[in-house]
Amino acid sequence: MDSQTVSRHAAKPDAPIAGTLKPNALGVLGILFFVLSAQAPLTGIAGAAPIAVALGNGPGVPAAYLVAGLVILLFSVGFVAMGRHVVDAGAFYTYIGKGLGRTTGTGSAGLALFAYCTIQAAMYGLYGAIVSGLVSSHTGFDLPWWVWTLATMAVVQALGAAGVEMGAKVLAVFVLAEFSILSVFALVTLFKGGGPEGLGLADSFSPAAALDGAPGVAVMFAVASMFGFEATAIYGEEAREPKKTVPRATYLAVAVVTGFFALVSWMLISSYGASRATAAAGKALEGGDGAGFVFAPIAADFGGWVGDVLPILLATSLFAGILTFHNSANRYLFSLGRDRLLPLRLCRLNRRHAPWTAGCVQTVLAVLLVVPFALAGKDPVLTLFSWFSGVAVLAMMLLYLLTSVSVLVFFRRARLDTRLWNTLIAPALGALGIAGAIWLILANFTTLIGGERTTALWLTLSVPAVMALGLVAARVRGRTVAAADG
């Protein structure tokens, strides 16, 4: 866009403008809150931990979080090394394009959008069900889950348009609330020496405990719980000193998330006793209240009021994740518009330098993903949440793998960084770990989505289908742009 066009837009206070995202808007802690809200820590603990304990390796689940954290840490080394040379809101697609070619990179952008939009839609389903239940139980006002979901979409759109700083402030409140109560529970349990059988360190972290039962299922859910840490790179353009801020935020996010999930799950198991935890988790799932496995020991320590507060915090945890994925997806759309791979209108910004048009498009996509489930009368938890969260995790892990391979190719070709650990060894080990995680997800995908084999097959096939569609679209768009320039 030329300077005269920008000047005309600037003359109108409410007119959207095109350009760059607002620089110097976020520091390490601001980015960290976006990442932690994407993890939705209370949702991850209350949703994934009971299933991992009951169907995975029982008391050894905390070790699975450490293994998942190690794999993500190895991936992060190459991810950060690439980030020192590439700062772009497109993150994954830009990184992959630098190493594996523009077409592959653009195709992966479609996969990234698919992952972010489906995980957001999944969270909308669970959020709507929880809020509907909370309002009904406290006020007697009974409305369908989708009413609350659609109303929240409007709120998320407004917060996204208000700018990244406003989003960070809102997320800070929600993330601190859920982190605080879970962390206090874990620390109190730790300092009092654990539950009826003590801390059970060996029961949770010994090699025998880690490999007991079905460790692959536990690792799969642990990896799924860490979805969203890569948001550090998405906000690179809006970060203060991105070459310093993004690496620090990435490593800090991986360390905090890994330590948090490992400690809380360990203390949760300890509160029951290692010999009883698996049966307790199974009983909670059979009763249709997996979250009760988590909420019960916390309420026992802090009083019955926690039983009322935790469901509310679970709802705010989901809201924080929804807002984060809205911001992530609209920045992908913005970046694709700026690179002329999607219509140029997507890179238009409002007066707060927020991606206004891209945000509107992302909200429309959310509506299109959620409304069919509402019209069909499907259970939002058993279908929308379960199906889309599973397919989103699979899509994101494929993006991690492509990024790891791209890092290896990029630094072998460009020679911008000669550190072997950062550009070869760690990325290669991370790629192997991620490939193993993908294999575990595929082998246990029916369990991950809580559905049938036929449903699991169709959802699995949707991931390569979206990638293939993205590659075709990239080639067609490339020819169209080239013809226009010619």
Side-chain angles (χ1 to χ4, degrees), residues 49-415:
I51 304 174
V53 172
L55 303 180
N57 56 350
V61 164
Y65 282 112
L66 292 184
V67 171
L70 177 61
V71 170
I72 298 300
L73 181 62
L74 289 170
F75 167 82
S76 298
V77 173
F79 186 66
V80 165
M82 175 78 89
R84 295 183 185 278
H85 304 282
V86 181
V87 178
D88 191 279
F92 276 140
Y93 102 79
T94 308
Y95 287 19
I96 293 170
K98 289 291 183 181
L100 302 182
R102 186 177 178 84
T103 299
T104 304
T106 306
S108 70
L111 194 60
L113 278 171
F114 180 65
Y116 286 129
C117 289
T118 50
I119 192 62
Q120 187 200 45
M123 297 175 90
Y124 268 128
L126 182 56
Y127 171 87
I130 289 173
V131 172
S132 178
L134 284 172
V135 173
S136 178
S137 63
H138 288 288
T139 69
F141 192 54
D142 193 10
L143 285 176
W145 65 271
W146 52 265
V147 173
W148 302 107
T149 294
L150 292 176
T152 302
M153 287 181 184
V155 175
V156 168
Q157 171 64 27
L159 284 174
V164 72
E165 306 104 312
M166 178 60 73
K169 291 173 183 176
V170 172
L171 294 176
V173 174
F174 292 154
V175 170
L176 284 174
E178 58 183 300
F179 248 76
S180 296
I181 196 165
L182 289 174
S183 298
V184 170
F185 160 74
L187 292 174
V188 167
T189 306
L190 177 66
F191 289 130
K192 74 178 184 181
E197 299 174 13
L199 291 174
L201 181 63
D203 292 319
S204 289
F205 293 103
S206 68
L211 297 173
D212 190 33
V217 173
V219 172
M220 175 186 69
F221 278 101
V223 169
S225 298
M226 298 194 179
F227 189 117
F229 84 94
E230 73 290 334
T232 53
I234 293 175
Y235 298 103
E237 287 186 40
E238 296 157 281
R240 292 189 287 272
E241 297 184 86
K243 291 186 178 181
K244 294 181 180 179
T245 302
V246 171
R248 290 171 184 172
T250 302
Y251 288 131
L252 184 59
V254 174
V256 169
V257 169
T258 302
F260 174 82
F261 278 114
L263 176 62
V264 173
S265 61
W266 176 29
M267 290 302 99
L268 184 63
I269 289 166
S270 176
S271 67
Y272 283 97
S275 65
R276 305 173 187 173
T278 303
K283 185 177 179 180
L285 292 173
E286 289 173 6
D289 183 23
F293 174 72
V294 176
F295 293 172
I298 299 177
D301 276 354
F302 301 141
W305 64 271
V306 173
D308 295 324
V309 171
L310 283 173
I312 295 173
L313 287 180
L314 182 56
T316 60
S317 171
L318 287 162
F319 178 84
I322 287 167
L323 178 57
T324 296
F325 288 121
H326 171 82
N327 285 326
S328 296
N330 68 30
R331 278 155 179 77
Y332 263 91
L333 290 167
F334 165 84
S335 186
L336 288 167
R338 186 173 57 186
D339 290 345
R340 301 172 66 191
L341 297 168
L342 286 176
L344 192 61
R345 290 182 180 179
L346 287 171
C347 67
R348 291 162 71 87
L349 307 174
N350 63 15
R351 295 288 295 174
R352 294 179 178 270
H353 282 261
W356 166 252
T357 306
C360 291
V361 170
Q362 200 287 314
T363 299
V364 170
L365 291 174
V367 171
L368 293 175
L369 288 172
V370 169
V371 166
F373 287 84
L375 294 176
K378 296 291 187 180
D379 186 293
V381 178
L382 298 180
T383 57
L384 179 56
F385 174 72
S386 298
W387 296 358
F388 278 179
S389 58
V391 77
V393 169
L394 181 58
M396 188 57 66
M397 293 307 297
L398 179 56
L399 284 169
Y400 289 171
L401 181 61
L402 289 172
T403 302
S404 293
V405 174
S406 180
V407 168
L408 293 169
V409 174
F410 175 77
F411 284 112
R412 301 285 71 73
R413 181 190 300 149
R415 299 293 179 182

